[in-house]
Amino acid sequence: MLVKVVTQEPAGETHRITRVTTVRWPGADGAQCHLQFVSMQGWHRKEP
């Protein structure tokens, strides 16, 4: 999942980006296991 937030500021637009990754696999007992973590986080600014 990717979350992008754009804010308008006097210096231009600021884009804050976060990617959440989900990993799923079958466990040793056959139960479904999963793990979520932030795999990317950052920002950049677009000047007018």
Side-chain angles (χ1 to χ4, degrees):
M1 169 177 50
L2 183 74
V3 178
K4 181 176 181 180
V5 177
V6 179
T7 55
Q8 298 289 331
E9 300 172 1
E13 290 182 352
T14 299
H15 297 233
R16 299 181 196 291
I17 302 166
T18 303
R19 178 184 294 153
V20 177
T21 300
T22 304
V23 181
R24 293 187 177 127
W25 68 95
D29 61 354
Q32 191 72 274
C33 299
H34 69 275
L35 175 70
Q36 277 190 329
F37 58 95
V38 174
S39 57
M40 179 183 73
Q41 192 170 24
W43 63 274
H44 69 274
R45 180 169 290 135
K46 287 186 176 180
E47 296 182 9

